mmCIF file with all atom_site columns, all heavy atoms in Angstrom:
data_model
loop_
_atom_site.group_PDB
_atom_site.id
_atom_site.type_symbol
_atom_site.label_atom_id
_atom_site.label_alt_id
_atom_site.label_comp_id
_atom_site.label_asym_id
_atom_site.label_entity_id
_atom_site.label_seq_id
_atom_site.pdbx_PDB_ins_code
_atom_site.Cartn_x
_atom_site.Cartn_y
_atom_site.Cartn_z
_atom_site.occupancy
_atom_site.B_iso_or_equiv
_atom_site.pdbx_formal_charge
_atom_site.auth_seq_id
_atom_site.auth_comp_id
_atom_site.auth_asym_id
_atom_site.auth_atom_id
_atom_site.pdbx_PDB_model_num
ATOM 1  N N   . LEU A 1 99  ? -15.159 14.302 10.060 1.00 0.00 ? 99  LEU A N   1
ATOM 2  C CA  . LEU A 1 99  ? -16.331 15.000 9.277  1.00 0.00 ? 99  LEU A CA  1
ATOM 3  C C   . LEU A 1 99  ? -16.120 16.496 9.570  1.00 0.00 ? 99  LEU A C   1
ATOM 4  O O   . LEU A 1 99  ? -16.187 17.305 8.649  1.00 0.00 ? 99  LEU A O   1
ATOM 5  C CB  . LEU A 1 99  ? -17.599 14.495 9.806  1.00 0.00 ? 99  LEU A CB  1
ATOM 6  C CG  . LEU A 1 99  ? -18.872 15.094 9.066  1.00 0.00 ? 99  LEU A CG  1
ATOM 7  C CD1 . LEU A 1 99  ? -18.779 14.651 7.688  1.00 0.00 ? 99  LEU A CD1 1
ATOM 8  C CD2 . LEU A 1 99  ? -20.117 14.607 9.805  1.00 0.00 ? 99  LEU A CD2 1
ATOM 9  N N   . GLY A 1 100 ? -15.850 16.849 10.912 1.00 0.00 ? 100 GLY A N   1
ATOM 10 C CA  . GLY A 1 100 ? -15.731 18.273 11.193 1.00 0.00 ? 100 GLY A CA  1
ATOM 11 C C   . GLY A 1 100 ? -14.447 18.861 10.536 1.00 0.00 ? 100 GLY A C   1
ATOM 12 O O   . GLY A 1 100 ? -14.406 19.986 10.176 1.00 0.00 ? 100 GLY A O   1
ATOM 13 N N   . THR A 1 101 ? -13.434 18.011 10.455 1.00 0.00 ? 101 THR A N   1
ATOM 14 C CA  . THR A 1 101 ? -12.093 18.502 9.728  1.00 0.00 ? 101 THR A CA  1
ATOM 15 C C   . THR A 1 101 ? -12.469 18.845 8.239  1.00 0.00 ? 101 THR A C   1
ATOM 16 O O   . THR A 1 101 ? -12.035 19.933 7.763  1.00 0.00 ? 101 THR A O   1
ATOM 17 C CB  . THR A 1 101 ? -11.103 17.365 9.769  1.00 0.00 ? 101 THR A CB  1
ATOM 18 O OG1 . THR A 1 101 ? -10.764 17.017 11.115 1.00 0.00 ? 101 THR A OG1 1
ATOM 19 C CG2 . THR A 1 101 ? -9.840  17.809 9.002  1.00 0.00 ? 101 THR A CG2 1
ATOM 20 N N   . GLY A 1 102 ? -13.250 18.088 7.616  1.00 0.00 ? 102 GLY A N   1
ATOM 21 C CA  . GLY A 1 102 ? -13.527 18.354 6.156  1.00 0.00 ? 102 GLY A CA  1
ATOM 22 C C   . GLY A 1 102 ? -14.342 19.618 6.028  1.00 0.00 ? 102 GLY A C   1
ATOM 23 O O   . GLY A 1 102 ? -14.115 20.432 5.185  1.00 0.00 ? 102 GLY A O   1
ATOM 24 N N   . TYR A 1 103 ? -15.448 19.680 6.789  1.00 0.00 ? 103 TYR A N   1
ATOM 25 C CA  . TYR A 1 103 ? -16.433 20.806 6.625  1.00 0.00 ? 103 TYR A CA  1
ATOM 26 C C   . TYR A 1 103 ? -15.989 22.080 7.356  1.00 0.00 ? 103 TYR A C   1
ATOM 27 O O   . TYR A 1 103 ? -16.186 23.098 6.690  1.00 0.00 ? 103 TYR A O   1
ATOM 28 C CB  . TYR A 1 103 ? -17.822 20.310 7.296  1.00 0.00 ? 103 TYR A CB  1
ATOM 29 C CG  . TYR A 1 103 ? -18.689 19.578 6.310  1.00 0.00 ? 103 TYR A CG  1
ATOM 30 C CD1 . TYR A 1 103 ? -18.917 18.166 6.653  1.00 0.00 ? 103 TYR A CD1 1
ATOM 31 C CD2 . TYR A 1 103 ? -19.280 20.129 5.316  1.00 0.00 ? 103 TYR A CD2 1
ATOM 32 C CE1 . TYR A 1 103 ? -19.702 17.433 5.778  1.00 0.00 ? 103 TYR A CE1 1
ATOM 33 C CE2 . TYR A 1 103 ? -20.060 19.320 4.382  1.00 0.00 ? 103 TYR A CE2 1
ATOM 34 C CZ  . TYR A 1 103 ? -20.298 18.007 4.700  1.00 0.00 ? 103 TYR A CZ  1
ATOM 35 O OH  . TYR A 1 103 ? -21.080 17.266 3.928  1.00 0.00 ? 103 TYR A OH  1
ATOM 36 N N   . MET A 1 104 ? -15.251 22.046 8.424  1.00 0.00 ? 104 MET A N   1
ATOM 37 C CA  . MET A 1 104 ? -14.993 23.178 9.220  1.00 0.00 ? 104 MET A CA  1
ATOM 38 C C   . MET A 1 104 ? -13.536 23.692 9.052  1.00 0.00 ? 104 MET A C   1
ATOM 39 O O   . MET A 1 104 ? -13.209 24.864 9.316  1.00 0.00 ? 104 MET A O   1
ATOM 40 C CB  . MET A 1 104 ? -15.223 23.000 10.719 1.00 0.00 ? 104 MET A CB  1
ATOM 41 C CG  . MET A 1 104 ? -16.592 22.633 11.037 1.00 0.00 ? 104 MET A CG  1
ATOM 42 S SD  . MET A 1 104 ? -17.854 23.938 10.471 1.00 0.00 ? 104 MET A SD  1
ATOM 43 C CE  . MET A 1 104 ? -17.326 25.358 11.485 1.00 0.00 ? 104 MET A CE  1
ATOM 44 N N   . HIS A 1 105 ? -12.710 22.896 8.441  1.00 0.00 ? 105 HIS A N   1
ATOM 45 C CA  . HIS A 1 105 ? -11.226 23.271 8.437  1.00 0.00 ? 105 HIS A CA  1
ATOM 46 C C   . HIS A 1 105 ? -10.807 23.326 6.926  1.00 0.00 ? 105 HIS A C   1
ATOM 47 O O   . HIS A 1 105 ? -10.350 24.358 6.341  1.00 0.00 ? 105 HIS A O   1
ATOM 48 C CB  . HIS A 1 105 ? -10.301 22.364 9.180  1.00 0.00 ? 105 HIS A CB  1
ATOM 49 C CG  . HIS A 1 105 ? -10.504 22.428 10.574 1.00 0.00 ? 105 HIS A CG  1
ATOM 50 N ND1 . HIS A 1 105 ? -9.719  23.001 11.497 1.00 0.00 ? 105 HIS A ND1 1
ATOM 51 C CD2 . HIS A 1 105 ? -11.608 22.056 11.385 1.00 0.00 ? 105 HIS A CD2 1
ATOM 52 C CE1 . HIS A 1 105 ? -10.112 22.941 12.701 1.00 0.00 ? 105 HIS A CE1 1
ATOM 53 N NE2 . HIS A 1 105 ? -11.215 22.350 12.655 1.00 0.00 ? 105 HIS A NE2 1
ATOM 54 N N   . VAL A 1 106 ? -10.910 22.241 6.246  1.00 0.00 ? 106 VAL A N   1
ATOM 55 C CA  . VAL A 1 106 ? -10.386 22.064 4.935  1.00 0.00 ? 106 VAL A CA  1
ATOM 56 C C   . VAL A 1 106 ? -11.139 22.793 3.831  1.00 0.00 ? 106 VAL A C   1
ATOM 57 O O   . VAL A 1 106 ? -10.624 23.645 3.034  1.00 0.00 ? 106 VAL A O   1
ATOM 58 C CB  . VAL A 1 106 ? -10.233 20.540 4.559  1.00 0.00 ? 106 VAL A CB  1
ATOM 59 C CG1 . VAL A 1 106 ? -9.450  20.338 3.315  1.00 0.00 ? 106 VAL A CG1 1
ATOM 60 C CG2 . VAL A 1 106 ? -9.616  19.746 5.620  1.00 0.00 ? 106 VAL A CG2 1
ATOM 61 N N   . LEU A 1 107 ? -12.560 22.590 3.789  1.00 0.00 ? 107 LEU A N   1
ATOM 62 C CA  . LEU A 1 107 ? -13.262 23.243 2.728  1.00 0.00 ? 107 LEU A CA  1
ATOM 63 C C   . LEU A 1 107 ? -13.281 24.732 2.823  1.00 0.00 ? 107 LEU A C   1
ATOM 64 O O   . LEU A 1 107 ? -13.106 25.478 1.878  1.00 0.00 ? 107 LEU A O   1
ATOM 65 C CB  . LEU A 1 107 ? -14.649 22.668 2.723  1.00 0.00 ? 107 LEU A CB  1
ATOM 66 C CG  . LEU A 1 107 ? -15.579 23.103 1.622  1.00 0.00 ? 107 LEU A CG  1
ATOM 67 C CD1 . LEU A 1 107 ? -14.897 22.653 0.270  1.00 0.00 ? 107 LEU A CD1 1
ATOM 68 C CD2 . LEU A 1 107 ? -16.937 22.436 1.675  1.00 0.00 ? 107 LEU A CD2 1
ATOM 69 N N   . PRO A 1 108 ? -13.482 25.310 4.105  1.00 0.00 ? 108 PRO A N   1
ATOM 70 C CA  . PRO A 1 108 ? -13.420 26.771 4.129  1.00 0.00 ? 108 PRO A CA  1
ATOM 71 C C   . PRO A 1 108 ? -11.982 27.360 3.759  1.00 0.00 ? 108 PRO A C   1
ATOM 72 O O   . PRO A 1 108 ? -11.892 28.405 3.094  1.00 0.00 ? 108 PRO A O   1
ATOM 73 C CB  . PRO A 1 108 ? -13.585 27.132 5.659  1.00 0.00 ? 108 PRO A CB  1
ATOM 74 C CG  . PRO A 1 108 ? -14.392 25.976 6.206  1.00 0.00 ? 108 PRO A CG  1
ATOM 75 C CD  . PRO A 1 108 ? -13.822 24.748 5.447  1.00 0.00 ? 108 PRO A CD  1
ATOM 76 N N   . ASP A 1 109 ? -10.955 26.596 4.114  1.00 0.00 ? 109 ASP A N   1
ATOM 77 C CA  . ASP A 1 109 ? -9.627  27.036 3.528  1.00 0.00 ? 109 ASP A CA  1
ATOM 78 C C   . ASP A 1 109 ? -9.533  27.075 2.057  1.00 0.00 ? 109 ASP A C   1
ATOM 79 O O   . ASP A 1 109 ? -8.947  28.009 1.481  1.00 0.00 ? 109 ASP A O   1
ATOM 80 C CB  . ASP A 1 109 ? -8.504  26.197 4.020  1.00 0.00 ? 109 ASP A CB  1
ATOM 81 C CG  . ASP A 1 109 ? -8.233  26.361 5.607  1.00 0.00 ? 109 ASP A CG  1
ATOM 82 O OD1 . ASP A 1 109 ? -8.728  27.286 6.115  1.00 0.00 ? 109 ASP A OD1 1
ATOM 83 O OD2 . ASP A 1 109 ? -7.573  25.487 6.224  1.00 0.00 ? 109 ASP A OD2 1
ATOM 84 N N   . SER A 1 110 ? -10.185 26.117 1.476  1.00 0.00 ? 110 SER A N   1
ATOM 85 C CA  . SER A 1 110 ? -10.185 26.052 -0.034 1.00 0.00 ? 110 SER A CA  1
ATOM 86 C C   . SER A 1 110 ? -10.945 27.231 -0.609 1.00 0.00 ? 110 SER A C   1
ATOM 87 O O   . SER A 1 110 ? -10.516 27.822 -1.589 1.00 0.00 ? 110 SER A O   1
ATOM 88 C CB  . SER A 1 110 ? -10.758 24.716 -0.555 1.00 0.00 ? 110 SER A CB  1
ATOM 89 O OG  . SER A 1 110 ? -10.855 24.682 -1.898 1.00 0.00 ? 110 SER A OG  1
#
Side-chain angles (χ1 to χ4, degrees):
L99 187 65
T101 299
Y103 276 111
M104 298 301 298
H105 294 252
V106 188
L107 192 58
D109 287 347
S110 177

